[in-house]
Amino acid sequence: GAGVSQSPSNKVTEKGKDVELRCDPISGHTALYWYRQSLGQGLEFLIYFQGNSAPDKSGLPSDRFSAERTGGSVSTLTIQRTQQEDSAVYLCASSPGHLAKNIQYFGAGTRLSVL
Amino acid sequence: GQQVMQIPQYQHVQEGEDFTTYCNSSTTLSNIQWYKQRPGGHPVFLIQLVKSGEVKKQKRLTFQFGEAKKNSSLHITATQTTDVGTYFCAGDLSGGYQKVTFGTGTKLQVIP
């Protein structure tokens, strides 16, 4: 079956513009994560969706960042008024969400470059 | 806050040498997972440990979960150039909320 799909794979934007990044999780996965990874660095947690629960937004770095998940499936990460420090790879992962099966499956990521 | 730390942050080894990375949590984990991220790639799941003291092997890789379920280790015997990458541990710190938190990662470089 299909894995986690992210689009676009690459995005170049000008400072101050808004961008939307999309994540299509594996069908049936109730949990969805967004991470940010700067070059050579670890995974920075951004936001976590689990079923119908309120999302865990504790990792969002500023109010310029927001995310939603419609119908428990597709998720969109929006960055408003982009800054150069937002340049990074944004990774999405989905998981079945069960305690014994909360393995994360990652998409290939979106490489964001803010000029 | 609750976090998962890994040491070392970086490791360079000569091909054929052994390698170990350690993962430590501030709180008890429901389970521990290990992922590998190749350069330019995304993290890929390797294994999950659930039981206290559990040991699992995958060819040259040996994974351990501590008795107190607060630490774990990954040991690679006789490293090969294909082992290059960053190894992350990840655990459920949420006490049932099923949110997995990634460790800080260990970047392994193997010198041929």
Side-chain angles (χ1 to χ4, degrees):
Chain A
V4 177
S5 177
Q6 290 188 246
S7 60
S9 55
N10 284 283
K11 177 71 176 177
V12 180
T13 191
E14 294 179 349
K15 178 182 173 181
K17 299 282 189 183
D18 297 353
V19 295
E20 282 190 353
L21 311 180
R22 178 186 169 104
C23 174
D24 278 280
I26 293 172
S27 178
H29 281 193
T30 60
L32 188 147
Y33 300 75
W34 282 98
Y35 298 92
R36 179 168 69 176
Q37 189 171 39
S38 300
L39 188 62
Q41 301 301 307
L43 296 171
E44 178 186 3
F45 165 76
L46 297 178
I47 190 168
Y48 167 62
F49 296 91
Q50 169 61 287
N52 295 321
S53 301
D56 178 347
K57 303 179 182 180
S58 60
L60 295 177
S62 77
D63 58 8
R64 295 187 296 106
F65 288 73
S66 63
E68 62 178 22
R69 188 177 185 192
T70 54
S73 181
V74 172
S75 178
T76 302
L77 176 68
T78 301
I79 309 174
Q80 295 179 311
R81 305 181 302 281
T82 52
Q83 304 294 313
Q84 288 184 331
E85 59 263 30
D86 299 334
S87 297
V89 175
Y90 289 81
L91 290 163
C92 172
S94 72
S95 169
H98 306 130
L99 183 60
K101 295 184 178 180
N102 55 1
I103 297 165
Q104 294 187 43
Y105 299 83
F106 283 80
T110 293
R111 183 175 298 277
L112 176 65
S113 300
V114 182
L115 304 179
Chain B
Q2 297 175 333
Q3 55 185 346
V4 181
M5 303 297 294
Q6 285 182 248
I7 54 171
Q9 188 176 2
Y10 301 98
Q11 184 80 58
H12 291 77
V13 299
Q14 204 73 36
E15 187 173 17
E17 292 182 339
D18 292 356
F19 159 78
T20 304
T21 173
Y22 300 90
C23 174
N24 296 288
S25 168
S26 55
T27 60
T28 302
L29 301 166
S30 302
N31 57 42
I32 191 82
Q33 300 166 359
W34 285 92
Y35 294 76
K36 176 183 179 181
Q37 184 177 24
R38 294 180 184 274
H42 56 273
V44 174
F45 171 77
L46 293 176
I47 206 161
Q48 176 169 277
L49 305 172
V50 179
K51 300 177 183 176
S52 168
E54 189 171 9
V55 178
K56 286 189 176 180
K57 292 189 176 185
Q58 287 182 349
K59 297 183 180 179
R60 294 179 294 104
L61 277 60
T62 301
F63 304 83
Q64 285 191 300
F65 200 8
E67 294 290 340
K69 301 183 78 172
K70 283 189 172 184
N71 55 71
S72 181
S73 65
L74 158 59
H75 179 83
I76 303 178
T77 303
T79 54
Q80 300 176 358
T81 55
T82 53
D83 296 326
V84 165
T86 301
Y87 292 85
F88 293 97
C89 64
D92 183 356
L93 300 173
S94 61
Y97 188 47
Q98 298 157 28
K99 175 192 166 188
V100 172
T101 298
F102 271 75
T104 47
T106 295
K107 187 172 184 179
L108 173 65
Q109 186 62 258
V110 178
I111 305 163

